[in-house]
Amino acid sequence: MILKQYLVFLIGAILCLCKVSDVIGGATEEQMWAAGNLMRDVCAPKFPKVTKEIADGIREGNLPNEKDPKCYVNCILEMMQTMKKGKFLYEGSLKQVEILMPDHFKEEYRTGLAKCKDAAVGIKNNCDAAYAIFTCLRAEITRFVFP
């Protein structure tokens, strides 16, 4: 089942990235949201307590300080290659910004990532680390986008 979900995500991501060639320097907002929705579709079923309404709230920046929503965010951040095993992947995140973000988002994201790169240092629980990173990025990036 997980392999099937991963395969669906991978095919969708490849299709989205194929369209990136039409845009100089990054994806369009439509492509960015399409890739984000694929990630959401993979992570949401893993955390049944995260309803569509909660996920929509997280998208708007309202992340409940509860286990399942924090772990859902961790799942998304790991799929985005922003986190791995509770560690923030700063260099990988910068690469993702260059590839997947529309040009008008990039500078603010680079700055926000730099300010938040140590937000999860010392936090042992992966979901709590994701919560710390999400909270920091949300505070530092005015046009913060999350699937």
Side-chain angles (χ1 to χ4, degrees):
M1 180 70 171
I2 292 174
L3 181 61
K4 183 178 178 183
Q5 290 175 333
Y6 179 75
L7 186 59
V8 169
F9 168 74
L10 186 60
I11 291 169
I14 290 169
L15 290 173
C16 288
L17 290 175
C18 288
K19 292 292 219 171
V20 171
S21 63
D22 297 338
V23 180
I24 297 172
T28 65
E29 285 191 48
E30 180 180 291
Q31 292 163 337
M32 178 183 66
W33 283 113
N37 285 335
L38 288 170
M39 292 177 212
R40 186 175 174 161
D41 290 345
V42 170
C43 291
K46 295 178 183 182
F47 305 98
K49 291 182 182 176
V50 177
T51 64
K52 182 182 182 319
E53 292 75 23
I54 292 172
D56 288 345
I58 293 169
R59 178 178 274 176
E60 297 301 317
N62 304 313
L63 176 56
N65 190 3
E66 299 169 7
K67 182 183 176 185
D68 278 7
K70 291 192 291 187
C71 291
Y72 166 78
V73 166
N74 182 63
C75 178
I76 298 277
L77 292 176
E78 285 191 356
M79 289 191 79
M80 293 169 64
Q81 298 178 0
T82 298
M83 296 201 67
K84 184 173 184 180
K85 297 182 181 178
K87 304 291 183 224
F88 181 60
L89 304 175
Y90 176 66
E91 295 297 327
S93 297
L94 287 174
K95 289 178 186 174
Q96 292 298 323
V97 166
E98 294 307 317
I99 293 169
L100 294 175
M101 299 298 289
D103 288 337
H104 58 280
F105 283 81
K106 290 181 181 182
E107 189 56 40
E108 187 176 13
Y109 266 77
R110 287 185 206 111
T111 302
L113 290 170
K115 288 181 180 178
C116 294
K117 68 180 181 178
D118 295 326
V121 170
I123 300 174
K124 298 193 186 296
N125 180 286
N126 296 358
C127 301
D128 290 337
Y131 181 82
I133 291 294
F134 178 92
T135 302
C136 183
L137 292 174
R138 184 77 179 123
E140 295 295 333
I141 301 170
T142 56
R143 291 172 44 172
F144 183 67
V145 176
F146 193 82

